[in-house]
């Protein structure tokens, strides 16, 4: 065929999707809904590090668990691989960074970035330490208790103070409405959103009512911040957002600020708390690591504590995937050609179980990272590329502070009990029994 005769459509390579489960979509959907972790593990065992799955809400999906392919996904232009559809906009609002795509997303990330740089994060260390000391003062001695409710309160209070700048009555109000809201919201987030709320006692009606109460508090917080004579010196994220502007000198709208604060809270609270609960669960089962960490906590060093945090995040991954949507007419990924409209999920949990990147992946071993940083495309608890977690540095500082403070105040009993099982809270995975430990207060 001469080039003049070549139809234009041949410019695009033919679609070639990876292998997928031979059973009907409905069955794949049920398996995924009941246990997405189990389903992805089984599929990976059968088909390797890239396969196709039909996922409720997201439809045709390619799951990737290979460092080279993950790197390609994360570094592809957002015009070709954009935000996952549908996303958390239904829960957090269209002004949330989770809802934005393309240029709008890029602009928002630039605006948010300074609030989460190392220098800004330093300002929050005291808040985290104070919140930890306050919470652990009530820990019982000599009896097993779940750490998750405590780590949830610490991370919630830390974000409300560091991000929202909340104190007094507003802090108390937010503390009251946010935990049930986030719990219900993250359960509903993985279901299709109905077009109406079905009354104030239905789940969606309750979310709408919490949002109304939340908006009233945010209005009050913004008014108070603006009226503060020290407004220019304030270091909470709300003040930083109120003071910053986009490149074209426009400012974030009131609605977008409300959506974004809620986003930072929803994204940062449960994830960090779950990882900390896993850290306690892991340490109580690894006496050798615990002993060395205790010794280190007496000093200003944190090399082992940092390695421990990295290993908890790998070995007990709390967010199991990072998703993108194919906008390009077709997307070539390795040997595969994926059509527009597909979802691509980088399976973070499968990537973290890769024996080539992490020999004996089931073994909990912080030593892996002493003197060697993990590869940024194999170790990916915070996702990657343009949508990589905004709060990664904040989360790391927070986990470091909480662990150091606990180790300085308590000894943790070790146990030979088997590891706790996984429990899905909708978005994050927590230890099933809440990361139970037995502690004794250090004297003197
Ligand atoms: C251990 C704790 C945390 C984990 C494991 C975690 C994990 C993640 C993951 C996997 C993503 C998706 C990345 C992607 O699609 O490539 C993400 C996004 C995000 N995270 Fe985190 N996160 C944590 C803590 C935080 C904290 C403390 C904050 C804020 C204070 C935060 C704010 C966000 C935001 C705003 C996004 C959306 C970024 C965007 O779409 O551009 N996260 N996080």
């Amino acid at each position: 065929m001469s080039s003049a005769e070549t139809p234009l459509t041949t410019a695009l390579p033919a679609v070639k999707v990876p292998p997928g489960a031979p059973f009907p979509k409905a069955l794949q959907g049920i398996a995924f809904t009941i246990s997405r972790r189990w389903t992805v593990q089984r599929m990976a065992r059968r088909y390797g590090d890239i396969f196709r799955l039909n996922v409720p809400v997201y439809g045709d999906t390619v799951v990737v668990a290979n460092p080279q392919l993950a790197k390609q996904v994360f570094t592809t232009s957002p015009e070709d691989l954009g935000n996952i559809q549908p996303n958390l906009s239904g829960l957090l609002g269209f002004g949330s960074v989770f809802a934005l795509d393309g240029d709008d997303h890029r602009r928002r990330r630039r605006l948010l970035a300074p609030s989460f740089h190392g220098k800004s994060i330093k300002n929050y260390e005291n808040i985290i330490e104070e919140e930890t000391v306050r919470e652990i003062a009530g820990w019982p001695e000599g009896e097993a208790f779940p750490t998750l409710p405590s780590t949830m309160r610490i991370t919630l209070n830390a974000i409300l103070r560091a991000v929202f700048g909340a104190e007094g009555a507003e802090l108390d109000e937010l503390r009251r409405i946010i935990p049930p809201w986030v719990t219900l919201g993250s359960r509903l987030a993985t279901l299709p959103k109905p077009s109406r709320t079905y009354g104030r006692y239905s789940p969606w009606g309750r979310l709408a009512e919490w949002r109304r109460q939340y908006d009233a508090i945010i209005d009050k917080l913004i008014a108070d911040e603006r009226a503060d004579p020290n407004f220019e010196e304030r270091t909470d994220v709300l003040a930083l957002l109120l003071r910053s502007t986009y490149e074209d000198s426009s400012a974030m709208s009131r609605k977008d600020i409300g959506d974004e604060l809620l986003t930072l809270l929803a994204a940062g609270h449960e994830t960090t708390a779950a990882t900390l609960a896993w850290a306690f669960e892991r340490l109580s089962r690894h006496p050798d690591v615990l002993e060395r960490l205790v010794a280190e906590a007496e000093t200003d060093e944190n090399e082992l504590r940092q390695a421990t945090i990295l290993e908890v995040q790998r070995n007990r991954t709390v967010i199991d995937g990072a998703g993108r949507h194919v906008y390009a007419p077709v997307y070539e990924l390795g040997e595969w050609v994926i059509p527009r409209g597909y979802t691509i999920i980088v399976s973070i949990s499968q990537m973290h179980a890769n024996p080539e990147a992490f020999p004996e992946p089931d073994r909990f071993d912080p030593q892996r990272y002493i003197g060697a940083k993990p590869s940024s495309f194999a170790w990916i608890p915070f996702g990657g590329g343009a949508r990589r977690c905004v709060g990664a540095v904040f989360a790391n500082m927070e986990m470091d502070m909480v662990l150091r403070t606990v180790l300085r105040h308590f000894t943790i009993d070790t146990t030979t009990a088997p590891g706790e099982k996984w429990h899905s809270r909708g978005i994050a995975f927590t230890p099933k029994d809440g990361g139970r430990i037995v502690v004794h207060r250090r004297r003197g």
Side-chain angles (χ1 to χ4, degrees):
M1 197 188 290
S2 76
S3 60
E5 292 167 294
T6 310
L8 275 175
T9 47
T10 57
L12 294 178
V15 166
K16 183 182 168 207
V17 290
F23 43 89
K25 281 183 183 180
L27 267 185
Q28 298 182 40
I30 292 169
F32 192 85
T33 307
I34 293 174
S35 176
R36 58 176 195 263
R37 205 177 180 93
W38 181 88
T39 308
V40 166
Q41 263 170 8
R42 288 294 171 289
M43 293 286 292
R45 208 168 288 166
R46 170 107 202 243
Y47 296 102
D49 54 19
I50 179 163
F51 54 86
R52 191 165 37 84
L53 193 63
N54 194 275
V55 174
V57 182
Y58 299 108
D60 286 321
T61 298
V62 169
V63 180
V64 176
N66 164 300
Q68 276 74 42
L69 299 181
K71 179 175 180 181
Q72 190 191 326
V73 168
F74 286 141
T75 52
T76 297
S77 128
E79 278 66 42
D80 288 343
L81 270 194
N83 196 5
I84 191 163
Q85 302 296 346
N87 50 52
L88 294 176
S89 57
L91 179 64
L92 301 168
F94 289 99
S96 157
V97 68
F98 273 122
L100 302 178
D101 227 329
D103 267 351
D104 291 339
H105 178 255
R106 235 185 325 255
R107 271 159 40 94
R108 177 64 58 78
R109 287 289 303 233
R110 274 206 207 116
L111 198 87
L112 286 176
S115 307
F116 291 97
H117 279 161
K119 208 168 120 251
S120 307
I121 298 297
K122 267 230 126 332
N123 294 322
Y124 311 134
E125 285 181 356
N126 287 344
I127 294 182
I128 311 287
E129 192 172 9
E130 266 172 46
E131 288 302 329
T132 311
V133 168
R134 193 149 62 104
E135 176 63 34
I136 64 181
W139 276 10
E141 281 188 79
E143 56 180 87
F145 68 97
T147 49
L148 185 63
S150 269
T151 58
M152 290 286 248
R153 279 190 292 270
I154 295 171
T155 59
L156 176 67
N157 290 342
I159 294 202
L160 290 178
R161 289 180 60 196
V163 175
F164 287 60
E167 46 197 37
E170 282 76 39
L171 181 62
D172 290 340
E173 257 307 86
L174 288 169
R175 267 203 285 249
R176 186 182 63 77
I177 61 170
I178 281 175
W181 184 8
V182 170
T183 305
L184 180 63
S186 61
R187 294 227 167 89
L188 296 183
T190 46
L191 302 174
K193 186 179 178 186
S195 51
R196 45 185 284 252
T197 59
Y198 298 100
R200 58 182 301 201
Y201 296 109
S202 71
W204 287 103
R206 272 157 53 211
L207 291 186
E209 174 55 22
W210 279 318
R211 176 72 204 214
R212 205 191 48 71
Q213 296 177 18
Y214 167 81
D215 277 329
I217 302 169
I218 296 299
D219 283 340
K220 172 91 176 47
L221 281 178
I222 292 179
D224 288 354
E225 292 230 353
R226 288 203 190 280
D228 183 348
N230 297 321
F231 174 62
E232 289 302 325
E233 283 79 54
R234 288 187 71 116
T235 51
D236 53 89
V237 174
L238 172 57
L240 299 180
L241 293 184
L242 289 171
R243 290 202 299 265
S244 36
T245 51
Y246 292 112
E247 294 92 332
D248 63 3
S249 308
S250 63
M252 266 175 96
S253 70
R254 153 68 190 82
K255 162 86 171 61
D256 286 359
I257 287 184
D259 289 355
E260 205 62 289
L261 292 185
L262 184 60
T263 300
L264 295 172
L265 188 134
H269 151 56
E270 194 174 275
T271 44
T272 316
T275 310
L276 279 167
W278 278 120
F280 293 120
E281 187 270 356
R282 294 286 78 196
L283 291 181
S284 62
R285 286 162 176 81
H286 291 84
D288 47 332
V289 181
L290 181 59
E291 193 185 323
R292 288 165 55 215
L293 274 180
V294 168
E296 188 193 62
E298 297 303 322
T299 71
D300 289 334
E301 301 296 315
N302 71 351
E303 188 186 21
L304 181 62
R305 199 160 60 243
Q306 279 294 312
T308 302
I309 292 169
L310 297 183
E311 183 65 342
V312 172
Q313 290 198 271
R314 183 197 70 80
N315 188 245
R316 290 295 183 270
T317 302
V318 301
I319 300 290
D320 57 343
R324 302 289 185 266
H325 183 86
V326 178
Y327 284 127
V330 290
Y331 177 60
E332 290 181 67
L333 181 60
E335 64 176 291
W336 309 104
V337 183
I338 302 165
R340 189 203 308 261
Y342 261 61
T343 297
I344 296 187
I345 293 181
V346 175
S347 171
I348 302 178
S349 44
Q350 282 303 121
M351 295 270 297
H352 287 172
N354 175 353
E356 278 163 34
F358 307 102
E360 293 183 68
D362 291 340
R363 198 160 48 89
F364 175 76
D365 181 11
Q367 203 60 31
R368 300 175 194 272
Y369 316 110
I370 300 291
K373 285 254 170 297
S375 147
S376 55
F377 289 105
W379 183 89
I380 52 163
F382 295 112
R387 307 199 77 96
R388 186 175 188 269
C389 178
V390 173
V393 178
F394 184 100
N396 179 274
M397 176 278 291
E398 184 167 17
M399 294 189 283
D400 195 79
M401 267 292 170
V402 173
L403 285 180
R404 188 187 77 177
T405 311
V406 168
L407 293 170
R408 283 184 177 177
H409 284 75
F410 291 97
T411 57
I412 299 176
D413 285 2
T414 55
T415 172
T416 52
E420 287 188 30
K421 295 201 161 57
W422 299 86
H423 169 69
S424 166
R425 284 175 63 99
I427 297 180
F429 284 86
T430 60
K432 189 153 192 289
D433 301 324
R436 288 175 82 79
I437 53 171
V438 176
V439 297
H440 300 274
R441 205 166 296 277
R442 288 179 184 280
R443 319 267 169 215

